[in-house]
Amino acid sequence: MSEISTLGEFGLIDRLTENLPKLNESTLRGVGDDAAVMHYESKNDVLVTTDLLLENVHFDLTYVPLKHLGYKSAVVNFSDIYAMNGCPRQITVSLGISRRFTIEHIEELYAGIRLACEAYGVDLVGGDTSASNQGLVISITCLGEAQRDKIVYRDGARPTDLICVSGNLGAAYMGLQLLEREKVASAGRKDFVPDFSGKEYLIERQLKPEARRDIIEELASAGIKPTSMMDVSDGLSSELIHICKQSDTGCRVYEDRIPIDYQTAVMAEELNMNLVTAALNGGEDYELLFTVPLTDKEKIDNLKDVRLIGYVTDKAEGCAMVTRDGNEIPLKAQGWNPLKEENQE
Amino acid sequence: MSEISTLGEFGLIDRLTENLPKLNESTLRGVGDDAAVMHYESKNDVLVTTDLLLENVHFDLTYVPLKHLGYKSAVVNFSDIYAMNGCPRQITVSLGISRRFTIEHIEELYAGIRLACEAYGVDLVGGDTSASNQGLVISITCLGEAQRDKIVYRDGARPTDLICVSGNLGAAYMGLQLLEREKVASAGRKDFVPDFSGKEYLIERQLKPEARRDIIEELASAGIKPTSMMDVSDGLSSELIHICKQSDTGCRVYEDRIPIDYQTAVMAEELNMNLVTAALNGGEDYELLFTVPLTDKEKIDNLKDVRLIGYVTDKAEGCAMVTRDGNEIPLKAQGWNPLKEENQE
């Protein structure tokens, strides 16, 4: 294992950014100058989003492999661009690296970032690398592009619109619970082998989420432009409230329509947790939540891996979930919010 | 003083981004969706640069006021865009905030960021805010634009080109030494009043640097397009080596041509430090270093606050400083490089 100080900042950057491919026409110059240079088609708008990930707040290296962490750090940014109905094109990666990380560690992290970039056709064009005395810090910014009349915001939902969600919810959260359980069980035991059998899907959803490019492509093929859209990072409940607040509407979603994977249900049972609460508030699903006009119902029914879960109402109706027995429970934004948690200094 | 947990992440963001002005036509949508949306003139390329600033690595809150820190964090990014001969347009701001910071603290930091944005005509369009158990983390990304044929890279210097630098060097470094000295002197003394009299300029260069937009404008008015350019953030010596390496050239700079302010010289004397070493390696000057064809000499002579310090040579000549007594000393990139320093975990 090699100490980073043997390379220094510029040596490390040279090593990490060796032979970077150029996957996009819009990328003119990448790493190596005061700024990267891009050119976008004049008919397109430019999108920018950014995510900050801090060790022991957003990730725990006890059970998160660095390559997976790199992959996920990039993908969560791509997800934000897809959530605008856009296409991610470039990222910049800033790292704060504490002394316990070796060159090989950072190469692992970068291997994951590069893999995500390759999978989604995104160029790594710049960043900043520095020492940290505070564990690992990852800040990624993603640029994307979209035709102006295709961009979907959060504020366009209208009463009677249908509410749809891709994939299933709560699995990433259950994966996290499982990893935390095995971490506790393994404490102090060197020979410990975690037991994930039959729950591989949950682990994968937590450690290696994918952004739903496929759904964006499906929507385009089907000629559907959502009236509003966002990705589910903080939990369905919190995101529905965002859309309704910004669109000045209310909503009803049906408990029995919320898509939940079999493994998620088994795990909730095992942990004695409320399944629907986990699916509503778990977060980190990176599924797409969107609304479409009622007239698109038939088109939506034909999409694979998209579920219709409710409808948009007047603002006065508020935001609520209709339970299996027909009661209404107001939605609360009790999503994952580290600024309200205990894991602080 | 108010705890951030009383607002939560979204409440804090709402408060910090209230009444943000829109200063640029290129900004279409700012804070409040999965991504911000911009549109740039089709004749222009888009520039992106990013900087990560970590508490106790890049700044020490013992003597850096939060408002100044915010201002500087934004300005160092603008400086990178000017160094491409571009114009900064938008920034995103990601913050990791530990528990000891109150809402008022973060408002101070934001006040500085907003002030910088106003001064340079830049829009704050997005970001990410989260808890940190690692002190204060600031990650800023800046987007800018420039006409393609106006962009200046680091790799265009040619033998016989003249090497120029704006302003003066070493002052920010001396300001840092002064602040560190007063910090040590003040330890444990509540009634301590730091003595900065006659050294206000050094303190200002360290705490509230400016980006040299004026030089970019002067160059344009004078019809000068540099052959290469970068900003001096890691020290003149390190930056000259970057330009020469990327341009495949060597260089000679003259010791007696390096611009140094009177206060910098007095401070070096007081601290018994080598003045030229401080000017060559101090860093954080945020001046512009650039090269121009020999034929532009007369135009350069007419610019105010730009000094001709040497010339570009063939690569075989290496990079060296010619001392007052005519000797040549090879330049070394011993600039400020936190990845080689001791201040780590």
Side-chain angles (χ1 to χ4, degrees):
Chain A
M1 301 303 252
S2 325
E3 281 200 29
I4 289 172
S5 58
T6 59
L7 285 178
E9 179 183 359
F10 302 120
L12 179 65
I13 293 173
D14 284 349
R15 179 128 160 204
L16 294 173
T17 59
E18 227 173 27
N19 300 321
L20 277 177
K22 177 178 154 337
L23 304 173
N24 278 290
E25 288 216 357
S26 57
T27 306
L28 302 182
R29 286 262 194 147
V31 174
D33 221 297
D34 293 282
V37 184
M38 282 80 56
H39 190 86
Y40 301 99
E41 287 187 53
S42 61
K43 70 176 193 318
N44 286 351
D45 286 344
V46 179
L47 307 168
V48 65
T49 182
T50 188
D51 262 296
L52 179 64
L53 300 173
L54 304 173
E55 186 174 351
N56 298 328
V57 177
H58 301 94
F59 57 88
D60 182 338
L61 292 175
T62 319
Y63 52 72
V64 178
L66 282 162
K67 191 171 176 182
H68 285 77
L69 178 61
Y71 192 89
K72 181 170 174 175
S73 305
V75 162
V76 301
N77 279 283
F78 304 161
S79 180
D80 279 318
I81 298 291
Y82 291 123
M84 302 295 289
N85 208 23
C87 187
R89 297 294 190 210
Q90 288 87 18
I91 55 168
T92 61
V93 177
S94 290
L95 298 180
I97 305 166
S98 71
R99 227 184 167 73
R100 69 176 211 275
F101 294 94
T102 62
I103 296 171
E104 289 78 7
H105 285 137
I106 304 305
E107 283 181 327
E108 270 298 291
L109 182 75
Y110 250 73
I113 295 171
R114 279 176 175 236
L115 191 64
C117 284
E118 206 183 313
Y120 290 86
V122 172
D123 291 315
L124 200 173
V125 297
D128 190 15
T129 305
S130 103
S132 155
N133 45 24
Q134 321 165 313
L136 185 61
V137 174
I138 306 172
S139 176
I140 295 189
T141 298
C142 185
L143 293 169
E145 63 183 323
Q147 264 179 261
R148 185 168 308 171
D149 60 359
K150 297 279 162 59
I151 296 179
V152 178
Y153 293 95
R154 295 178 179 176
D155 62 3
R158 295 292 167 260
T160 78
D161 280 357
L162 303 173
I163 301 172
C164 308
V165 72
S166 65
N168 62 72
L169 302 174
Y173 178 74
M174 283 303 167
L176 182 63
Q177 301 309 311
L178 180 57
L179 287 163
E180 287 282 352
R181 185 182 73 177
E182 299 299 294
K183 177 186 170 183
V184 170
S186 76
R189 291 171 52 189
K190 283 202 171 161
D191 58 343
F192 184 81
V193 180
D195 178 18
F196 298 144
S197 63
K199 311 216 171 61
E200 295 80 2
Y201 177 69
L202 303 179
I203 301 296
E204 194 180 324
R205 286 299 298 262
Q206 171 56 225
L207 293 184
K208 193 169 174 286
E210 299 292 346
R212 299 308 304 257
R213 174 175 50 179
D214 57 333
I215 299 293
I216 295 303
E217 290 168 354
E218 261 194 89
L219 288 169
S221 306
I224 301 167
K225 184 190 168 189
T227 51
S228 71
M229 182 157 57
M230 65 187 294
D231 71 335
V232 183
S233 53
D234 292 335
L236 179 66
S237 189
S238 166
E239 317 304 23
L240 278 169
I241 291 169
H242 274 300
I243 282 183
C244 289
K245 193 176 162 194
Q246 293 192 36
S247 298
D248 218 25
T249 65
C251 71
R252 288 295 174 277
V253 292
Y254 295 92
E255 181 180 4
D256 62 359
R257 302 287 307 166
I258 293 170
I260 294 172
D261 185 80
Y262 175 75
Q263 288 190 18
T264 307
V266 170
M267 190 70 206
E269 179 82 24
E270 218 177 298
L271 294 174
N272 205 16
M273 294 178 90
N274 184 300
L275 179 58
V276 174
T277 304
L280 280 180
N281 301 310
E284 295 200 273
D285 297 305
Y286 302 107
E287 296 293 348
L288 290 171
L289 170 69
F290 56 94
T291 57
V292 298
L294 195 51
T295 49
D296 279 344
K297 178 162 188 319
E298 208 168 316
K299 290 182 188 168
I300 289 291
D301 288 340
N302 290 325
L303 295 183
K304 60 174 186 344
D305 215 20
V306 167
R307 179 83 72 95
L308 206 160
I309 61 169
Y311 60 95
V312 180
T313 67
D314 283 333
K315 189 180 184 181
E317 309 282 319
C319 298
M321 179 175 73
V322 182
T323 62
R324 283 169 213 276
D325 54 13
N327 288 321
E328 293 196 349
I329 303 175
L331 293 178
K332 278 186 194 154
Q334 58 197 16
W336 187 80
N337 183 344
L339 277 177
K340 281 190 173 169
E341 287 190 9
E342 296 295 307
N343 51 0
Q344 300 190 5
E345 214 178 75
Chain B
M1 301 302 253
S2 326
E3 280 197 32
I4 289 172
S5 58
T6 59
L7 286 177
E9 179 184 358
F10 302 120
L12 178 65
I13 292 172
D14 284 350
R15 178 129 160 205
L16 295 173
T17 59
E18 227 172 29
N19 299 321
L20 277 177
K22 177 177 154 338
L23 303 173
N24 278 291
E25 288 217 358
S26 57
T27 305
L28 302 180
R29 284 262 195 146
V31 174
D33 221 297
D34 293 282
V37 183
M38 281 80 55
H39 190 86
Y40 301 99
E41 287 186 54
S42 61
K43 71 175 193 317
N44 286 351
D45 286 343
V46 179
L47 307 169
V48 64
T49 183
T50 188
D51 263 296
L52 179 64
L53 301 174
L54 304 173
E55 186 174 352
N56 297 328
V57 176
H58 301 95
F59 56 88
D60 182 337
L61 291 175
T62 319
Y63 52 71
V64 177
L66 282 161
K67 191 169 176 183
H68 284 78
L69 178 61
Y71 191 88
K72 181 170 173 174
S73 305
V75 162
V76 300
N77 279 283
F78 304 160
S79 180
D80 279 319
I81 299 292
Y82 290 123
M84 302 294 290
N85 209 23
C87 187
R89 296 294 190 212
Q90 288 87 17
I91 55 168
T92 62
V93 177
S94 290
L95 298 180
I97 305 168
S98 71
R99 228 185 166 74
R100 67 178 213 274
F101 295 93
T102 63
I103 296 171
E104 290 77 8
H105 285 137
I106 305 304
E107 284 181 326
E108 271 297 293
L109 182 74
Y110 251 73
I113 295 171
R114 280 177 174 235
L115 191 64
C117 283
E118 205 182 314
Y120 289 86
V122 172
D123 291 316
L124 200 173
V125 297
D128 191 16
T129 305
S130 105
S132 156
N133 46 23
Q134 319 164 312
L136 185 60
V137 175
I138 306 172
S139 175
I140 296 189
T141 299
C142 184
L143 293 169
E145 63 184 322
Q147 265 180 262
R148 185 168 307 171
D149 59 359
K150 297 279 163 57
I151 296 179
V152 178
Y153 294 94
R154 294 178 180 178
D155 62 3
R158 294 294 167 259
T160 78
D161 281 358
L162 302 173
I163 301 173
C164 308
V165 71
S166 66
N168 62 72
L169 302 174
Y173 178 73
M174 283 302 168
L176 182 63
Q177 300 311 310
L178 179 59
L179 288 162
E180 286 284 350
R181 185 181 74 178
E182 300 299 295
K183 178 186 171 184
V184 170
S186 76
R189 290 171 53 190
K190 283 200 171 162
D191 58 344
F192 184 82
V193 180
D195 178 18
F196 298 143
S197 64
K199 310 215 170 59
E200 295 80 3
Y201 177 69
L202 303 180
I203 300 296
E204 195 180 323
R205 285 299 296 261
Q206 171 57 227
L207 292 184
K208 192 168 176 286
E210 299 292 346
R212 298 308 304 257
R213 173 174 52 179
D214 57 333
I215 300 292
I216 296 302
E217 290 168 355
E218 259 193 272
L219 288 170
S221 306
I224 301 167
K225 184 191 168 191
T227 51
S228 71
M229 182 154 60
M230 65 186 295
D231 71 334
V232 183
S233 54
D234 292 334
L236 178 66
S237 189
S238 166
E239 317 304 23
L240 278 169
I241 290 169
H242 275 299
I243 283 184
C244 289
K245 193 176 161 195
Q246 294 193 36
S247 298
D248 219 25
T249 64
C251 72
R252 288 295 174 278
V253 292
Y254 294 93
E255 181 180 3
D256 62 0
R257 303 287 306 166
I258 293 170
I260 294 171
D261 186 80
Y262 174 75
Q263 288 189 17
T264 307
V266 170
M267 190 70 205
E269 178 84 24
E270 218 176 297
L271 295 174
N272 204 16
M273 295 178 90
N274 183 300
L275 178 58
V276 174
T277 305
L280 280 180
N281 302 311
E284 294 199 272
D285 298 306
Y286 302 106
E287 296 294 348
L288 290 171
L289 170 68
F290 56 95
T291 57
V292 298
L294 196 51
T295 49
D296 278 345
K297 178 162 189 318
E298 207 169 316
K299 289 182 189 168
I300 289 291
D301 288 340
N302 289 326
L303 296 183
K304 59 175 186 342
D305 214 20
V306 168
R307 180 84 71 96
L308 206 160
I309 61 169
Y311 61 95
V312 180
T313 67
D314 282 332
K315 190 180 184 182
E317 310 281 319
C319 298
M321 179 175 74
V322 181
T323 61
R324 282 170 215 274
D325 54 14
N327 289 320
E328 293 195 349
I329 302 175
L331 293 177
K332 278 187 195 152
Q334 55 196 19
W336 187 81
N337 183 345
L339 278 178
K340 282 192 172 167
E341 287 190 10
E342 297 294 309
N343 51 1
Q344 300 190 5
E345 212 177 79

